Amino acid sequence: MTIDDLVLTIRPDLTDGALNELFTAAWPDHRKTAFEPLLARSLTWVALHRGGRLVGYVNVVGDGGAHAFVLDTTVHPDEQRAGLGVRLVRAAAAEARMLGAHWLHVDYEPELESFYARCGFRPTAAGLMRL
């Protein structure tokens, strides 16, 4: 999909450098990460590039069955508030469905509830344990 020089791709080759650059721009507390082992365990991931630069990313992991989980939805700060995050998550949901998932889960902070509602999620009760 190409819109205004924006390219959405499913499971593209991504370098640690490109992902770390995006995460450093978007997440102030980000520490350099080796992403290759994480992607190797993922069900799928979706990326957005503009002019060859990674500007958006979302990862989906699965349980090997009906459940999949959205992780690391990230859009470069220069590109936020333009619907790119919603586009990423919806593409990830469609791909997860195609790969056999029946349920897509996401955890988020309260201020992101409206964003994930626009993506198609509804709030549910869940539990969380910090390890």
Side-chain angles (χ1 to χ4, degrees), residues 27-47:
W27 304 103
D29 295 334
H30 175 71
R31 294 183 187 162
K32 188 175 178 182
T33 301
F35 285 92
E36 186 176 322
L38 302 175
L39 294 177
R41 294 188 302 266
S42 296
L43 179 64
T44 194
W45 58 91
V46 180

Side-chain angles (χ1 to χ4, degrees), residues 31-87:
R31 294 183 187 162
K32 188 175 178 182
T33 301
F35 285 92
E36 186 176 322
L38 302 175
L39 294 177
R41 294 188 302 266
S42 296
L43 179 64
T44 194
W45 58 91
V46 180
L48 282 168
H49 288 84
R50 185 183 303 279
R53 177 177 153 222
L54 181 64
V55 297
Y57 165 84
V58 65
N59 191 12
V60 180
V61 296
D63 69 351
H67 297 270
F69 304 82
V70 169
L71 298 172
D72 299 330
T73 305
T74 303
V75 174
H76 194 283
D78 295 344
E79 302 277 351
Q80 292 177 359
R81 308 262 183 245
L84 302 186
V86 172
R87 188 178 299 170

